[in-house]
Amino acid sequence: MNSPLPAGALAGKTALVTGSSRGIGADTARYFAAAGANVVINYRSKAPRAEKLVAELAEQGTQAIAVGADLTDPASVAEMMAAVRERFGSLDILVLNASGGMESNMGEDYALRLNRDAQVNTLEQGTALMGEGGRVVFVTSHQAHFIRTVPTMPEYEAVALSKRAGEDALRERIGTLADRGIGFTVVSGDMIEGTITATLLERARPGAIETRKEAAGKLYNVSEFAAEVALAAVEPVPADNTRLVGDVSYFTSYAGE
């Protein structure tokens, strides 16, 4: 796959992508690596998959490590950040990609703990390793970003609300980050074909992805959306700290009714 970032653009930089053993996170990490960055692959339980990605990147000359961490456990996140500091000394890019809430047997409050509380804690611990010029990217969906004004499918509503709560909590810290010279961008995309969330949603409501695809005209695939996430880490921060990927006409027209 072709990287959207110029070769060497991130030479000497270190990037941590949460939830990066597969999917959007993995491809984002690949793009950073292709641009010369040191890469930290975070996973919760897929250690073999994460180590396989590290080996792949190492073959290409990238300095990479895989670090397991349960983001809902602050102590686990602290251990991950300590590993980053020990190996690379500091952090330049933090991509908050990990999310969830549709999994079974994780508790009723899991979506909120992961999509809000864990995001804030990871931001605070991660930016403690950052200096001026650091960048933070929060990955979300249009269904969550616009949930305050546009309803979504009942099967996804709790997740959407929890992700919007996380986005709101992170946005409250934009001023503090800016004072330290750290940029913050929210990347919001439509449903992404091939993601675990799309798969779970399709199981809960068969035909949901195809219906949305017909309405939008196009849905981004994993590598296409990951390219937008990677670009958000290096391009100028938008005035509203938001990068909308793909069609938003349905969401904006609905909200304007």
Side-chain angles (χ1 to χ4, degrees):
M1 61 189 198
N2 296 322
S3 176
L5 307 178
L10 296 177
K13 305 290 187 180
T14 297
L16 164 60
V17 184
T18 64
S20 52
S21 66
R22 62 183 173 184
I24 293 167
D27 277 0
T28 300
R30 289 185 176 100
Y31 289 137
F32 288 154
N38 306 317
V39 177
V40 181
I41 305 300
N42 160 249
Y43 65 92
R44 182 172 65 88
S45 60
K46 306 294 185 181
R49 186 176 293 166
E51 294 292 353
K52 182 178 179 180
L53 178 55
V54 166
E56 171 193 324
L57 298 180
E59 288 180 0
Q60 300 168 10
T62 299
Q63 295 293 318
I65 58 172
V67 184
D70 177 355
L71 300 187
T72 64
D73 179 1
S76 184
V77 174
E79 291 176 0
M80 175 172 67
M81 295 306 173
V84 175
R85 183 190 295 276
E86 180 179 354
R87 177 65 181 271
F88 299 116
S90 61
L91 189 62
D92 301 284
I93 297 171
L94 172 62
V95 176
L96 298 170
N97 168 71
S99 65
M102 295 190 70
E103 303 88 344
S104 59
N105 303 319
M106 296 299 286
E108 292 184 4
D109 64 340
Y110 180 68
L112 202 58
R113 288 191 294 114
L114 175 60
N115 297 331
R116 183 194 63 187
D117 302 344
Q119 305 302 317
V120 172
N121 176 64
T122 303
L123 172 83
E124 293 177 345
Q125 294 204 44
T127 53
L129 298 179
M130 286 185 175
E132 186 173 357
R135 297 293 293 271
V136 178
V137 177
F138 174 67
V139 181
T140 189
S141 66
H142 292 344
Q143 288 73 20
H145 179 70
F146 291 101
I147 190 62
R148 303 295 188 203
T149 53
V150 183
T152 189
M153 290 169 283
E155 295 86 350
Y156 190 66
E157 184 175 28
V159 175
L161 287 169
S162 67
K163 283 188 69 66
R164 182 66 220 202
E167 179 181 336
D168 291 342
L170 294 170
R171 284 183 180 275
E172 291 177 359
R173 290 154 174 80
I174 288 176
T176 301
L177 294 173
D179 289 344
R180 295 182 52 202
I182 299 173
F184 175 86
T185 300
V186 170
V187 178
S188 177
D190 210 326
M191 293 181 182
I192 309 298
E193 292 186 293
T195 62
I196 186 63
T197 297
T199 299
L200 292 173
L201 189 57
E202 186 68 19
R203 289 176 185 170
R205 177 171 290 207
I209 303 303
E210 189 61 32
T211 298
R212 180 58 197 146
K213 186 175 183 179
E214 291 176 0
K218 168 187 169 60
L219 292 181
Y220 278 59
N221 62 33
V222 168
S223 62
E224 290 171 334
F225 186 66
E228 296 291 334
V229 174
L231 285 168
V234 298
E235 291 187 345
V237 176
D240 61 354
N241 299 88
T242 308
R243 186 185 186 99
L244 298 175
V245 179
D247 179 69
V248 295
S249 58
Y250 166 76
F251 299 94
T252 55
S253 63
Y254 191 106
E257 290 180 354

